[in-house]
Amino acid sequence: MALIAILPGDGIGPEVTAEARRVLEAVGCGARFEEALVGGAAYLETGMPLPPDTLALAKRADAILFGAVGAPQYDTLERAFRPEAAILGLRKELGLFANLRPSKLFAGLEGASALRPEIARDIDLVIVRELTGDVYFGEKGRKLNDAGHRLGFDIMAYDEAEIARIARVGFETARTRSRRLVSVDKANVLESSQLWRDVVNEVSADYRDVALSHMYVDNAAMQLVRNPGQFDVVVTGNLFGDILSDQASMCAGSIGMLPSASLGEGSRGLYEPIHGSAPDIAGQGKANPCAAILSAAMLLRHSLDDVPNAERIEAAVARALASGVRTADLGGSCSTREMGDTVLRHLA
Ligand code: IPM
Ligand code: MG
């Protein structure tokens, strides 16, 4: 029997993962569940954002359903003790180097997008974000420079093997869709980006059936709001992917709608909404559970090889939204639980 680790985390994490778990139980995916503390919640209890027991559970599990971590009260802690260290540690420890972030506008949500409906309607893209390298994991620190000023630094670096393996995920993802891949970098300024571009071009020799193009990240940010319909699969580094995926989410209606999958070499993956812990609305039943529920669907598809149930869940979310039920982020007034109930009712 497959084991799903549930790591609810902080803020709205527990509320939204609870709804996702109910949906997983309702489709009868045959998995069992174990929960553990992570992030600020784990720090308060154990003094560590990613306690050894939680990491051990994640390593034992076939898949991890993650909520969100972080709250302002932890922002002054030493970096290793902040809630964010938990998600970064899980990605690194589990070798989850590929982050898939699909952005699609559900019918009926045209009005919720930050873009005009006729532009928003066309969004249906996947950002393939590299997740265990780049400026996130390079050397970082503080020192005094020659002028005696305090200097903070974070090294942005990629090696060719890291680039090649994420490029392959980009090309493979493009093969499952329209066979178009846009690689986003800043090769006009950054040396790590020039290597990125060179290696992506080299890997493309194995994917002659995929049309590859390159775009600078500033232009990509602009094109994403000008004409998001031009994108299908985008492959990019950790930092650029972090920023562009938040931007893509608002184009698609709400950050409360977007799921993600973090994958490595094997079938084990970590699934989380791309939104954060939203401490301002935590515990009030206002959060949109759709991103977490759609993350559960991605979990079934990528880690449990259960495509039928993944599609059932995605169709249920679409029907629930089409029925007009909306949480506050989408301009409605229903609660987290009511949204979860509506999705459950629409499971075919
Ligand atoms: C995300 C988040 C994380 C990131 C934070 C919480 C460390 O913003 O998953 O996009 O920057 O990767
Ligand atoms: Mg982010």
Side-chain angles (χ1 to χ4, degrees):
M1 187 185 248
L3 171 62
I4 298 178
I6 305 214
L7 308 183
D10 306 321
I12 60 171
E15 302 160 52
V16 297
T17 47
E19 298 310 312
R21 176 176 178 161
R22 289 208 300 150
V23 171
L24 282 171
E25 284 168 344
V27 294
C29 66
R32 64 195 180 87
F33 301 88
E34 269 184 55
E35 279 201 30
L37 293 171
V38 77
Y43 175 79
L44 290 182
E45 194 77 20
T46 70
M48 280 171 283
L50 180 57
D53 286 353
T54 300
L55 181 59
L57 169 63
K59 287 187 169 168
R60 260 191 299 127
D62 299 286
I64 301 140
L65 186 67
F66 190 93
V69 289
Q73 70 192 100
Y74 308 109
D75 285 354
T76 52
L77 287 175
E78 209 182 296
R79 202 162 283 286
F81 295 103
R82 291 193 204 169
E84 290 78 5
I87 183 63
L88 297 175
L90 280 166
R91 291 170 182 170
K92 198 69 174 177
E93 288 283 334
L94 302 177
L96 304 173
F97 66 88
N99 187 209
L100 308 186
R101 297 192 159 184
S103 229
K104 188 180 149 163
L105 189 91
F106 280 85
L109 297 191
E110 293 79 3
S113 170
L115 302 180
R116 286 201 305 277
E118 67 272 22
I119 296 176
R121 212 168 8 242
D122 295 334
I123 301 174
D124 183 2
L125 57 89
V126 181
I127 296 181
V128 178
R129 171 190 176 196
E130 200 286 331
L131 208 54
T132 54
D134 201 355
V135 69
Y136 272 61
F137 291 94
E139 193 192 332
K140 59 174 81 239
R142 298 271 190 112
K143 59 184 181 188
L144 287 184
N145 67 10
D146 293 344
H149 295 149
R150 287 175 304 161
L151 178 104
F153 63 92
D154 302 85
I155 305 232
M156 180 180 257
Y158 266 122
D159 80 31
E160 56 182 330
E162 291 174 310
I163 301 167
R165 69 179 180 178
I166 193 69
R168 289 188 188 282
V169 176
F171 283 108
E172 295 290 343
T173 306
R175 273 188 174 161
T176 66
R177 298 173 52 107
S178 74
R179 293 180 191 262
R180 286 183 295 119
L181 178 66
V182 178
S183 172
V184 170
D185 63 37
K186 187 70 185 172
N188 50 346
V189 178
L190 303 174
E191 202 48 39
S192 54
S193 274
Q194 186 60 57
L195 180 68
W196 175 283
R197 191 173 282 221
D198 294 348
V199 173
V200 171
N201 278 330
E202 287 157 24
V203 171
S204 74
D206 293 339
Y207 298 90
R208 298 259 183 239
D209 54 315
V210 175
L212 170 69
S213 58
H214 300 275
M215 201 179 268
Y216 296 135
V217 63
D218 49 348
N219 185 27
M222 186 267 279
Q223 296 295 339
L224 201 52
V225 290
R226 192 186 73 91
N227 173 19
Q230 72 186 283
F231 294 104
D232 188 42
V233 182
V234 174
V235 65
T236 189
N238 204 343
L239 181 63
F240 300 155
D242 179 45
I243 298 167
L244 291 178
S245 59
D246 268 29
Q247 190 185 336
S249 73
M250 277 322 280
C251 301
S254 163
I255 195 163
M257 288 301 304
L258 293 208
S260 80
S262 302
L263 307 171
E265 300 291 356
S267 66
R268 182 177 52 212
L270 182 148
Y271 302 84
E272 56 172 324
I274 85 154
H275 63 68
S277 54
D280 52 323
I281 58 163
Q284 299 171 32
K286 285 186 184 163
N288 184 349
C290 288
I293 293 169
L294 293 167
S295 297
M298 291 188 90
L299 180 156
L300 293 178
R301 174 176 293 114
H302 293 282
S303 285
L304 269 52
D305 202 21
D306 186 353
V307 177
N309 275 325
E311 289 176 349
R312 268 178 79 199
I313 293 174
E314 286 157 355
V317 170
R319 282 197 292 268
L321 291 167
S323 78
V325 175
R326 304 261 191 287
T327 41
D329 56 311
L330 297 172
S333 60
C334 93
S335 70
T336 309
R337 182 39 65 97
E338 283 160 357
M339 191 73 225
D341 285 340
T342 311
V343 173
L344 286 173
R345 261 202 316 282
H346 284 88
L347 278 174

